[in-house]
Amino acid sequence: DVSLVDLDAPPAPPGVRGTVEAPLPLFVNADFADGLKSWFGPNERIQATTITVDVGGAKTGVRLVCNPAADALLWGDRLAQPTAQAVAKGDAVYWQAWMRSPDRAMVTFCFEQAAAPNTKDIEQTVGLTPEWREYRFLVRAHANFAAGEARAQWFLGQTKGTVEIAGVRFADYGPARGHKFDETLDLWAGRAHSDAWRAAAAERIERIRKGDLTIKVVDRKSTR
């Protein structure tokens, strides 16, 4: 394996740093056991209540009944929380959550710098289904963040209907070089579809778009 190191990068912020073996949780009250403590966002357009669930090992979740304004912006309403620990540039931050919506609502996962210019490391929209489904996304921090300088959130400004969330995990795995994370691929926005095309596409990629490549590394003393 080959990894790139930015020698000009600022040193990692002080404090405990997560690893693949011992991920560092970045949310407080991620299981909603204390209601909405440490979360922010619900307002007169989002009614939030805790609910009893049995999915993904979770026993408590949150139900959001969203009624956005007609001219609402995507990020105008949200459920969010700032990071409780420092995050170093390049760290792998893994976001997992079980979600469902009887209204098949669209929800956007976003991790961003908490202050201007609010640079985003992920802004991924998914279409929820009436059945519980786990969504998993990998985020690579673009900069060092002290605790509270970044935040993760679900954008709900253009979401109308009911959304339920449980089993939330948001953790820093450190550099995690070479580690493979299982991520959600939601090309169909939660709609029913057939995967019949996938095998034929994979065969064409192998046959048409791949080939052998030989690389020879030389220096000024080398001869052909």
Side-chain angles (χ1 to χ4, degrees):
D1 293 338
V2 177
S3 60
L4 300 178
V5 177
D6 184 357
L7 298 179
D8 296 322
V16 179
R17 193 174 185 188
T19 65
V20 171
E21 295 75 20
L24 181 65
L26 298 176
F27 277 166
V28 176
N29 190 33
D31 59 2
F32 303 105
D34 287 331
L36 292 175
K37 181 179 179 180
S38 300
W39 296 91
F40 71 89
N43 52 33
E44 67 276 6
R45 294 179 298 277
I46 301 178
Q47 299 177 18
T49 55
T50 54
I51 56 175
T52 299
V53 302
D54 186 10
V55 62
K59 299 302 179 184
T60 306
V62 64
R63 176 179 292 138
L64 306 169
V65 181
C66 307
N67 186 27
D71 58 349
L73 299 172
L74 176 66
W75 55 88
D77 299 311
R78 67 190 74 193
L79 178 68
Q81 187 174 150
T83 52
Q85 305 286 346
V87 177
K89 180 179 180 179
D91 273 4
V93 181
Y94 195 35
W95 192 351
Q96 301 163 267
W98 287 87
M99 303 181 69
R100 69 177 178 182
S101 168
D103 306 298
R104 297 185 178 274
M106 305 293 286
V107 176
T108 299
F109 288 71
C110 176
F111 178 72
E112 68 175 6
Q113 182 178 347
N118 302 109
T119 302
K120 294 170 176 55
D121 290 321
I122 183 174
E123 188 174 354
Q124 177 68 51
T125 301
V126 298
L128 305 183
T129 65
E131 299 77 30
W132 284 110
R133 181 183 177 189
E134 187 181 26
Y135 296 85
R136 304 171 299 274
F137 295 106
L138 177 65
V139 181
R140 285 286 181 182
H142 75 276
N144 287 336
F145 296 110
E149 289 184 346
R151 63 190 173 202
Q153 53 207 329
W154 288 277
F155 284 155
L156 302 163
Q158 295 177 354
T159 298
K160 187 172 181 60
T162 298
V163 172
E164 294 180 349
I165 305 173
V168 178
R169 293 183 294 278
F170 191 66
D172 188 338
Y173 283 64
R177 296 187 181 93
H179 184 72
K180 303 299 182 183
F181 291 88
D182 184 18
E183 295 189 77
T184 298
L185 182 63
D186 187 23
L187 299 177
W188 299 88
R191 297 187 297 272
H193 63 91
S194 169
D195 277 342
W197 59 272
R198 196 177 299 275
E203 187 278 329
R204 289 194 301 272
I205 291 172
E206 290 290 336
R207 176 168 46 87
I208 299 172
R209 303 184 66 179
K210 291 185 177 181
D212 296 331
L213 174 67
T214 300
I215 298 176
K216 182 179 180 181
V217 180
V218 300
D219 59 21
R220 283 180 289 184
K221 297 180 180 180
S222 302
T223 58
R224 295 183 180 180

